[in-house]
Amino acid sequence: MTKRILVAGSGFAGMWAAISAARAVAIAGREQDIEVTIVSPSANLTVRPRLYEAVLENMNPDIAPLLEAVDVRHVAGLVQTIDAGAHRIEVERVDGTRTRLPYDKFVLATGSRLFQPPVPGLPEYSFNVDQLASARALDAHLKSLADRPETVARNTVVVAGGGFTGIETAAEMPERLRAVLGSAAAVRVIVVEQASHIGPDLGPTPRPVIEEALAECGVETITGAAVAAISADGVVLSSGERIATNTVVWTAGARANPLAAQIEGEHDRFGRVVGDAFLRAGAVEDVFVTGDVVRAATDDLGNVTAMSCQHAMSLGRVAGHNAAAELVGLPLHPYSQPKYVTCLDLGPWGALFTEGWDRQVRLTRETGKAVKREINTQWIYPPAADRNAAFAIANPDHVIVP
Ligand SMILES: Cc1cc2nc3c(=O)[nH]c(=O)nc-3n(C[C@H](O)[C@H](O)[C@H](O)COP(=O)(O)OP(=O)(O)OC[C@H]3O[C@@H](n4cnc5c(N)ncnc54)[C@H](O)[C@@H]3O)c2cc1C
């Protein structure tokens, strides 16, 4: 009887999980009786790490030919419920019909979404760069500012949150605004960060470089205050300060996709399932968790995965391989990713490339930017629709870092 590996999500983790599972099935010569299927809204991979960029081109590559080349099926829909006891999921297909799909192994790879706390005005008046549709909405809004009369609010962008995404979004913004409003416009871009420093999760080592770069890009920062209320023409900060603006970009962190809450067992404060060394969800049988929905140890030193593309791509390969390996009797592969780098885009200043969890500065300005360009245009993109080439880099040992 045919056995089924179901992967929910076609992002970085889901795509690599499916290819890696198909590779293990092929190694075992079991293509005839094991099917690998991805369920996601469409057979595309959204390149979320680039959604802060000014030009939103090639952000959603079609992976249907790749999936076909590696014998992975695709069902267009959203997983609604996971019934781990019955080994099946319920899916709402894009045409609105519902279907139940049984599985022998299930891989949850549905990613994360922007954390939106109950700040008054946040849903109605803020923009974000979390998903392609919202990044496009921000882009359309910025372009529409040119049709408005000149005011301080029109010329000002507030970026709420001074973490990785907030910094990258803000650094691009002065040039992006001037491209719309004209080079003579008195534009203001202000990052508001509630911690006492910009980039609180990036640690103290790279901070002077980030502060220098933001200042050079013409970005102001306000720290130690949070955006407390948002309206069509301004924000009020927790300090009581009011800033006139028609554009608020909300970037304050991410939470695991809500489906993670349906998996029994321990979760972390971001809603991620705590995975074991093989990325199994410890409390339920035959369920693997990967990408932004899993919290996993990256080494023996206490470091854990970040919600990052860098980790998602490796986590995906390992989870997909292990899901298939359990079915076909291949050895399981423990997840480990001791090398950690970051590459922070800092707009016209360049980019900051760091190594290690303490983020030692290795490359800055144009040399850093060259690495960022390579990451953003090559390394994170899907491989060509070539079975052998895809399988060659789908093994669970393969790590893409500079
Ligand atoms: C602006 C921005 C900048 C970033 N910059 C960086 C960076 O510089 N470096 C870095 O490493 N990371 C960066 N990240 C983080 C990175 O994008 C994520 O960590 C990565 O996308 C996680 O991959 P994933 O496959 O787990 O999830 P995702 O890429 O989010 O993919 C999730 C998939 O699941 C699908 N899905 C969702 N719900 C369902 C459902 N119910 N049923 C079926 N399918 C579903 C989605 O359609 C999608 O296909 C950035 C993110 C953003 C938003």
Side-chain angles (χ1 to χ4, degrees):
M1 217 174 78
T2 302
K3 295 203 179 292
R4 295 183 175 86
I5 300 170
L6 285 184
V7 179
S10 58
F12 298 97
M15 178 190 75
W16 280 113
I19 299 172
S20 188
R23 172 184 172 273
V25 168
I27 288 172
R30 297 282 298 277
E31 293 101 321
Q32 296 314 310
D33 68 323
I34 300 181
E35 278 177 16
V36 182
T37 303
I38 289 184
V39 181
S40 74
S42 68
N44 294 82
L45 176 136
T46 302
V47 188
R48 291 178 67 205
R50 294 190 66 184
L51 296 180
Y52 67 89
E53 291 185 21
V55 181
L56 296 173
E57 277 169 12
N58 194 20
M59 299 289 170
N60 203 30
D62 178 6
I63 59 167
L66 168 65
L67 298 184
E68 198 180 322
V70 293
D71 286 331
V72 170
R73 294 154 189 245
H74 183 262
V75 172
L78 281 172
V79 177
Q80 302 291 332
T81 53
I82 304 160
D83 186 341
H87 278 60
R88 67 175 180 229
I89 58 172
E90 187 166 9
V91 175
E92 184 173 306
R93 291 180 185 268
V94 286
D95 65 8
T97 58
R98 288 204 167 223
T99 182
R100 285 183 178 154
L101 301 178
Y103 66 78
D104 295 279
K105 301 287 172 188
F106 177 63
V107 183
L108 183 67
T110 47
S112 59
R113 50 175 75 168
L114 183 67
F115 175 52
Q116 291 180 298
V119 169
L122 176 62
E124 302 92 325
Y125 301 114
S126 73
F127 295 89
N128 66 70
V129 292
D130 190 56
Q131 305 291 334
L132 186 54
S134 54
R136 284 184 174 145
L138 169 64
D139 193 47
H141 167 80
L142 289 172
K143 286 176 176 148
S144 78
L145 292 174
D147 304 329
R148 299 190 187 193
E150 169 142 22
T151 60
V152 171
R154 184 199 72 160
N155 289 0
T156 303
V157 171
V158 169
V159 176
F164 204 100
T165 301
I167 293 169
E168 292 197 319
T169 306
E172 291 259 337
M173 199 53 80
E175 281 206 342
R176 209 168 159 184
L177 266 182
R178 275 194 285 269
V180 172
L181 302 176
S183 54
V187 306
R188 275 187 89 191
V189 176
I190 307 163
V191 179
V192 178
E193 166 55 52
Q194 63 179 355
S196 52
H197 296 285
I198 201 78
D201 295 338
L202 297 168
T205 321
R207 190 172 299 144
V209 180
I210 295 169
E211 287 171 346
E212 174 199 304
L214 288 179
E216 224 173 271
C217 294
V219 174
E220 301 167 47
T221 55
I222 296 176
T223 54
V227 171
I230 306 170
S231 64
D233 57 7
V235 295
V236 179
L237 306 188
S238 52
S239 58
E241 185 180 348
R242 186 175 189 285
I243 303 171
T245 178
N246 296 141
T247 312
V248 178
V249 188
W250 187 265
T251 69
R255 293 291 180 272
N257 180 281
L259 284 174
Q262 293 188 24
I263 308 281
E264 267 179 51
E266 198 187 341
H267 294 72
D268 73 358
R269 68 192 172 95
F270 303 111
R272 299 186 296 180
V273 180
V274 176
D276 73 7
F278 302 102
L279 305 183
R280 291 178 294 217
V284 276
E285 297 254 290
D286 300 322
V287 174
F288 290 77
V289 276
T290 192
D292 281 1
V293 297
V294 70
R295 178 191 194 273
T298 56
D299 55 31
D300 299 330
L301 306 171
N303 296 306
V304 297
T305 48
M307 284 192 188
S308 71
C309 182
Q310 176 181 172
H311 287 140
M313 292 194 294
S314 289
L315 287 163
R317 286 174 168 90
V318 173
H321 170 85
N322 287 342
E326 276 193 351
L327 275 185
V328 302
L330 285 174
L332 267 61
H333 190 95
Y335 171 70
S336 161
Q337 198 169 353
K339 183 162 184 192
Y340 181 63
V341 302
T342 51
C343 198
L344 182 68
D345 202 341
L346 289 159
W349 179 89
L352 166 66
F353 178 74
T354 69
E355 279 182 345
W357 288 92
D358 57 350
R359 295 187 172 83
Q360 294 296 325
V361 175
R362 295 290 184 242
L363 301 172
T364 58
R365 293 191 182 266
E366 191 43 45
T367 45
K369 195 79 164 190
V371 174
K372 187 71 178 182
R373 248 182 246 119
E374 210 168 310
I375 293 172
N376 274 7
T377 57
Q378 294 174 37
W379 294 345
I380 60 177
Y381 270 77
D386 174 322
R387 179 183 167 90
N388 292 336
F391 282 174
I393 53 168
N395 71 72
D397 276 327
H398 189 84
V399 175
I400 302 179
V401 284

